[in-house]
Structures are given as structure tokens and as C-alpha cells.
Amino acid sequence: MFRRISSAVVKDLKRVFTPGTIACIVIGTAIASFGLHNVHQRTGITEGGVLGMILLLNHWFHIPAAIASPALDLCCYLLAFRMLGKDFLKTSAFASVCLAGWFFLWERLPYLFPDLSGSPLLAAIAGALFIGVGVGLVVRKGASSGGDDALAMAISKALKCRIAAAYLFTDVTVLLLSLTYLPVHKIAFSLITVTLSSTLLDLVKSVSRENISRRLALRTAKNNDCRGREDQA
């Protein structure tokens, strides 16, 4: 009985955690955590979503982040579980462990990226690149690195909209609420980073070898067609 159960568990894990899935989650969480630690935390450029809501609840209702963070993440994961299934929870748990491990590493090293505190626009763009590519790789494999990703994926599936639109909706909603206690100029740079990161994330999630090959084939066919018409003329 035990051998049969363990065999079934191992078979299921091999099905869920393919080499490609593991690689995307490990690399994606490394990139995202690197950007959060070396850019966002260092320059004060904030994000929307769950992180922004934690700050908002702490400011207005004095709810500690240690309570608000797991509570909001749990709500998002429960909602996403109903929409996305148990495989989502497995890959997301692995992604969360990887993210925590990378943070543990970065926090014990000196900053590995130039200080952009004096250039908030560059910080917003750089932060968006790290978050968009990193989280995009994680979401590409159906996983989530936090409550923000889980909520956006659930909204995207429920409303049948692009995941970039779901991210942007949750981020902008929280950032607009944050205007009740944060200066406009800080929110402006945060809007830039969430807009860019959500667009890039959607691109990374959607791009595939098949899509690239199809587009190249269409472009080649169009070029050949144009040359044929020129030859006939």
C-alpha cells in the first residue's frame, strides 16, 4: 500500500515538475527577487497589489504587516485554487520556497546593481524589467510567486482577459487608494513600473517557439509574395 501511494506521488510530481517548469520557476524567482531587493527596496519605488494593500492597511488601520501579508495571500490563494486547481498550489509552493531562498541569498550579499535612488524614472523602468521577466517566467508555468500573481491569474481566467489587464487592474486600484496617504509623484513612478511590468509579464508568458516560428513563416511568405509581384511587374 505504502509503495503504491509513494509511486503515485512520485509519478504525479514528475508530471507537474518537468525540467522546463523547474528551470523557469528557479530562474524567474531569481530575477524577480533580484529586482525587488536591488531596485524596489533600495529606491522606494513601490508596487500595487498585495504589497500596496499591506502598506495601506497598516497606515489607516494599524494592522501589522505580519498579519496582513499572510491573510491577504491566503485569500488570494484560496480564490485561485478554486479557479486553477491543485497543480497550481504545488508549483506555487515551490515558487514561494525558491523566492524565499533567493531573498535569503541577496540579503547576505552587497547590492549587485547600481543605486538608482537619484533617478526614479530609471528605477521604475529597471524594476519593471526585472519583475516583468521574472514573474512572467513563473506565471508561464502556471505557478505564482505570491498573492498578487494568484489573484491576477484567477481574474484573468474568470473574465477571460489578458493577464496584463488583470495585473494592471489590481495594481492601479491599490495605487489609487494609496493616494490617500502617499504623495502623487511617488505614485506616478509606481504607475510607470506596474504598467511596464504587467505588459512585459504578459509578453513573456505568451511568447513561444511556435508563435515565433509562425510569425517568421508569415513574414517570409509576405516577402516572397512581394518579390513575386515585383518580378511579374
Side-chain angles (χ1 to χ4, degrees), residues 79-133:
L79 176 63
F81 173 70
R82 294 188 63 181
M83 300 292 299
L84 303 171
K86 60 182 181 180
D87 285 351
F88 162 78
L89 282 184
K90 294 172 187 173
T91 53
S92 296
F94 177 63
S96 296
V97 171
C98 289
L99 191 69
W102 284 116
F103 268 125
F104 182 84
L105 174 64
W106 303 138
E107 288 170 355
R108 276 148 186 80
L109 295 173
Y111 285 116
L112 302 174
F113 198 77
D115 186 4
L116 299 177
S117 299
S119 305
L121 180 58
L122 285 177
I125 294 172
L129 290 173
F130 283 115
I131 298 300
V133 174

Side-chain angles (χ1 to χ4, degrees), residues 142-159:
S144 161
S145 59
D148 302 73
D149 306 337
L151 181 60
M153 291 167 73
I155 292 173
S156 175
K157 184 167 184 177
L159 301 181

Side-chain angles (χ1 to χ4, degrees), residues 9-218:
V9 169
V10 170
K11 186 177 180 180
D12 185 58
L13 289 176
K14 284 183 177 179
R15 176 186 61 82
V16 175
F17 293 101
T18 63
T21 296
I22 294 172
C24 275
I25 291 176
V26 171
I27 295 170
T29 51
I31 295 171
S33 59
F34 182 90
L36 283 169
H37 177 70
N38 287 279
V39 180
H40 286 79
Q41 292 180 352
R42 198 175 181 189
T43 61
I45 299 294
T46 188
E47 284 277 344
V50 170
L51 177 60
M53 185 58 71
I54 290 169
L55 298 173
L56 184 73
L57 292 173
N58 181 259
H59 179 84
W60 287 117
F61 302 104
H62 307 293
I63 299 175
I67 295 175
S69 178
L72 290 172
D73 277 344
L74 180 61
C75 291
C76 292
Y77 276 124
L78 287 175
L79 176 63
F81 173 70
R82 294 188 63 181
M83 300 292 299
L84 303 171
K86 60 182 181 180
D87 285 351
F88 162 78
L89 282 184
K90 294 172 187 173
T91 53
S92 296
F94 177 63
S96 296
V97 171
C98 289
L99 191 69
W102 284 116
F103 268 125
F104 182 84
L105 174 64
W106 303 138
E107 288 170 355
R108 276 148 186 80
L109 295 173
Y111 285 116
L112 302 174
F113 198 77
D115 186 4
L116 299 177
S117 299
S119 305
L121 180 58
L122 285 177
I125 294 172
L129 290 173
F130 283 115
I131 298 300
V133 174
V135 177
L137 287 171
V138 175
V139 173
R140 183 182 176 88
K141 293 302 179 180
S144 161
S145 59
D148 302 73
D149 306 337
L151 181 60
M153 291 167 73
I155 292 173
S156 175
K157 184 167 184 177
L159 301 181
K160 294 179 171 45
C161 64
R162 296 186 73 86
I163 195 166
Y167 270 105
L168 201 56
F169 172 74
T170 57
D171 287 340
V172 170
T173 299
V174 173
L175 288 176
L176 289 176
L177 290 173
S178 300
L179 282 171
T180 57
Y181 74 99
L182 286 175
V184 175
H185 71 275
K186 283 195 174 182
I187 296 298
F189 289 116
S190 295
L191 280 171
I192 291 172
T193 198
V194 299
T195 302
L196 288 175
S197 64
S198 60
T199 303
L200 185 56
L201 185 155
D202 191 54
L203 179 64
V204 172
K205 174 184 177 292
S206 304
V207 71
S208 66
R209 268 187 261 175
E210 290 78 10
N211 288 337
I212 294 172
S213 299
R214 194 179 301 120
R215 289 181 183 179
L216 288 174
L218 286 172

